[in-house]
Amino acid sequence: MHDTLEAFAIQLIDLSHPEPDGSRRLIPERELCARLDVSRGALRERLSQLEYIGVLSRRQGHGTYLQAPGPDVIRTYFTTMRALGFLDSTEIAEAREMLETVVAVQAARRATAADAERLRALVDEMVACTAAGDHDAATEADLAFHAGLFRIVDNPVFTMVHTGLAYALQQAMHERRARAIAAETPDADGRTETDTIHYPVVDAIAANDPDAARDAIRRHFEIHSLITLDTAEEAPA
Amino acid sequence: MHDTLEAFAIQLIDLSHPEPDGSRRLIPERELCARLDVSRGALRERLSQLEYIGVLSRRQGHGTYLQAPGPDVIRTYFTTMRALGFLDSTEIAEAREMLETVVAVQAARRATAADAERLRALVDEMVACTAAGDHDAATEADLAFHAGLFRIVDNPVFTMVHTGLAYALQQAMHERRARAIAAETPDADGRTETDTIHYPVVDAIAANDPDAARDAIRRHFEIHSLITLDTAEEAPA
DNA sequence: GGAGGGAGATTGGTCAGACCAATGTTGACA
DNA sequence: TGTCAACATTGGTCTGACCAATCTCCCTCC
């Protein structure tokens, strides 16, 4: 078992059979051991690594499957690094904002009218939730809006990284949003600045105007940044 | 062992002792099993996951250490996904170019004169290598230049992601560069377009001009893109 | 005949103990 | 004092067994 993980993974393809849903079912672990001439313990160590990165799932009493990883594959990666103090929230938040900026610009280049409408609907929903006092739902809609930007650009690497960063920041984002809401004075329509700042982003994307999108998302982060939210974490070292 | 990986990792901190180099040495596996009330096999499955993401290293006959992950932690992640066909080179290349674009812009905001000089030296070296006919060394210098952009911005998330993407593209990049060099006609100084296109990036960064940096890096990718390099890969499904 | 349920098979999850392999440590010997 | 062999430490692997969740199939009962 001194192969690289990718070499090991490739071997598994030949030791599996296709399923109707597009995944591939591996032969049972005990057979795999025999075929690869390795003990079950060593095999399971490798399988658990592949499971960790989301390309493999195991169900007791059912089987083991090779599958396309979901968008949250990188999630545990960042949350673990953050939990151990090897990344702090400031660094994660900074990366997220730079990522969203470039994605908003790219989305403005690529968005169809339908894409823009979907985005606008999400902002409308967020505003409605805020007006109704349901801040948790509003935060959900907020997250959906940002995920929507990535959906337009439709690059799996960016989507995975962004999803992972969003998870790692989730706690901080909820707290920050609650604080922002509390500090803001709603206008006549019950909208907070946090809500309305999203519309220029939608407008720019609907107009396919990358430069306007860059300005709008930048203004958004100016009043809604998570950077420097908490820097008091300490590394375990 | 139904904890999340980050919860498990946090437990380990208390079961380790600091080392002079800043890492933390875990107590032996057999003791860990007893303390965590779990079998060695199950424990090792978890440890191998942490090892995979680079926050833990194991040396036979030596010990197990918690450590800060290096910049290449995400490498196996992308290479494995690519090997299994869940990511293709086009997607990886696109992400890399968008990432480098935003990083070049940010670098232009933050770069000191010393930063810019380091970058310029790398391009000079690349040009010298090309002129001397050492295309491998030139490619190395090229990679170092792009890594240098990330060093200026100094965000560990971006650095990790970029390093991982670069690894996953390494083969493709070498091939592409060899092809580009072969197709180009050097100018009077023996410089190819691939070489000289880097200087405007350095100039923009030295001038702390983000907009110029964006234009320069975009022009760079227009003649040096890896996107659509190969799209003939097939998913194992 | 159809629905429900239980026995058994399948398969991943865990455990225990042993031995192998690499590394570090100690102390005897030249 | 330097060298090296024996031993201790520690991660790496193997074997075989049993547990737990799930599925399959057939029997029973309505």
Side-chain angles (χ1 to χ4, degrees):
Chain A
M1 295 304 270
H2 297 99
D3 302 336
T4 62
L5 189 61
E6 55 264 37
F8 171 71
I10 290 171
Q11 284 185 300
L12 293 185
I13 296 176
D14 291 332
L15 298 170
S16 61
H17 301 99
E19 289 284 297
D21 68 353
S23 66
R24 295 185 70 89
R25 180 186 174 137
L26 283 181
I27 61 178
E29 288 186 358
R30 291 160 179 83
E31 275 184 60
L32 265 182
C33 302
R35 297 284 290 273
L36 297 174
D37 193 33
V38 75
S39 76
R40 222 178 134 203
L43 174 75
R44 283 181 57 81
E45 262 189 61
R46 277 306 185 81
L47 292 180
S48 81
Q49 291 182 327
L50 290 176
E51 183 179 27
Y52 179 75
I53 66 173
V55 301
L56 184 145
S57 72
R58 302 191 277 191
R59 285 162 58 196
Q60 187 170 350
H62 200 88
T64 303
Y65 300 82
L66 281 175
Q67 60 184 11
D72 62 341
V73 280
I74 256 181
R75 164 189 177 174
T76 318
Y77 188 90
F78 288 122
T79 53
T80 303
M81 300 251 295
R82 183 174 182 277
L84 287 172
F86 295 130
L87 284 178
D88 64 44
S89 294
T90 299
E91 294 166 335
I92 297 173
E94 182 185 75
R96 175 174 167 269
E97 294 184 11
M98 287 173 66
L99 213 54
E100 292 214 17
T101 301
V102 66
V103 163
V105 172
Q106 195 71 0
R109 289 205 184 87
R110 298 187 182 173
T112 64
D115 290 331
E117 276 322 297
R118 266 192 296 270
L119 270 190
R120 191 178 301 277
L122 287 168
V123 180
D124 289 340
E125 187 187 334
M126 181 175 67
V127 170
C129 292
T130 302
D134 189 347
H135 297 315
D136 281 346
T139 302
E140 286 305 311
D142 193 1
L143 290 173
F145 168 80
H146 290 285
L149 295 178
F150 284 78
R151 186 181 157 192
I152 294 173
V153 172
D154 191 34
N155 180 288
V157 175
F158 270 26
T159 302
M160 291 183 323
V161 172
H162 176 253
T163 305
L165 296 178
Y167 268 112
L169 285 173
Q170 209 163 33
Q171 186 66 25
M173 286 178 73
H174 273 81
E175 289 169 5
R176 171 72 177 95
R177 194 167 207 286
R179 224 177 305 168
I181 298 289
E184 285 176 349
T185 307
D187 63 13
D189 298 328
R191 296 183 181 184
T192 62
E193 193 181 10
T194 303
D195 293 325
T196 54
I197 199 70
H198 288 78
Y199 282 111
V201 179
V202 175
D203 292 337
I205 288 173
N208 294 117
D209 184 339
D211 291 327
R214 179 160 38 239
D215 290 342
I217 196 80
R218 201 169 285 163
R219 251 178 292 132
H220 166 276
F221 281 127
E222 273 167 16
I223 72 155
H224 202 74
S225 177
L226 287 171
I227 296 179
T228 73
L229 184 66
D230 66 61
T231 53
E233 294 170 319
E234 56 177 15
Chain B
M1 294 307 271
H2 297 100
D3 303 335
T4 62
L5 190 61
E6 55 264 38
F8 172 72
I10 290 170
Q11 284 185 301
L12 293 185
I13 296 176
D14 291 332
L15 298 170
S16 60
H17 301 98
E19 289 283 297
D21 68 354
S23 66
R24 295 186 69 91
R25 179 186 175 134
L26 284 180
I27 61 178
E29 287 186 359
R30 291 158 180 86
E31 274 183 60
L32 266 182
C33 301
R35 296 283 290 274
L36 297 174
D37 194 32
V38 76
S39 76
R40 225 180 133 200
L43 174 75
R44 283 180 57 81
E45 263 190 60
R46 278 308 186 80
L47 292 180
S48 81
Q49 291 183 327
L50 290 176
E51 182 180 27
Y52 179 74
I53 65 173
V55 301
L56 184 145
S57 71
R58 302 192 277 193
R59 285 161 59 194
Q60 187 170 347
H62 200 86
T64 302
Y65 300 82
L66 283 174
Q67 61 184 12
D72 62 342
V73 278
I74 257 181
R75 165 188 176 174
T76 318
Y77 188 88
F78 288 120
T79 53
T80 302
M81 300 251 293
R82 183 173 183 278
L84 287 174
F86 295 129
L87 284 179
D88 66 43
S89 294
T90 299
E91 294 165 336
I92 297 173
E94 183 185 74
R96 175 174 168 269
E97 293 183 11
M98 287 173 66
L99 213 54
E100 292 214 16
T101 301
V102 66
V103 163
V105 172
Q106 194 72 359
R109 290 205 183 86
R110 296 187 183 174
T112 63
D115 289 332
E117 277 321 297
R118 265 192 296 270
L119 271 190
R120 193 178 299 278
L122 288 168
V123 181
D124 289 342
E125 187 187 334
M126 180 175 66
V127 171
C129 291
T130 302
D134 189 346
H135 297 313
D136 281 346
T139 302
E140 285 306 309
D142 193 359
L143 290 173
F145 169 80
H146 290 285
L149 295 177
F150 284 78
R151 186 182 157 191
I152 293 173
V153 171
D154 192 32
N155 180 289
V157 175
F158 271 27
T159 302
M160 291 183 323
V161 172
H162 175 253
T163 305
L165 296 177
Y167 268 112
L169 285 173
Q170 210 164 32
Q171 187 65 26
M173 286 177 73
H174 273 80
E175 288 168 5
R176 171 73 176 93
R177 196 169 204 285
R179 224 177 304 165
I181 297 288
E184 284 175 351
T185 307
D187 64 11
D189 299 328
R191 296 182 181 185
T192 63
E193 193 181 11
T194 303
D195 293 325
T196 54
I197 199 70
H198 287 77
Y199 282 112
V201 180
V202 174
D203 291 338
I205 288 174
N208 294 116
D209 185 339
D211 292 327
R214 178 160 39 239
D215 291 341
I217 196 81
R218 200 169 285 163
R219 252 177 292 134
H220 166 275
F221 282 126
E222 274 168 17
I223 72 155
H224 202 74
S225 177
L226 287 171
I227 296 178
T228 73
L229 184 65
D230 66 61
T231 53
E233 293 169 320
E234 58 179 13

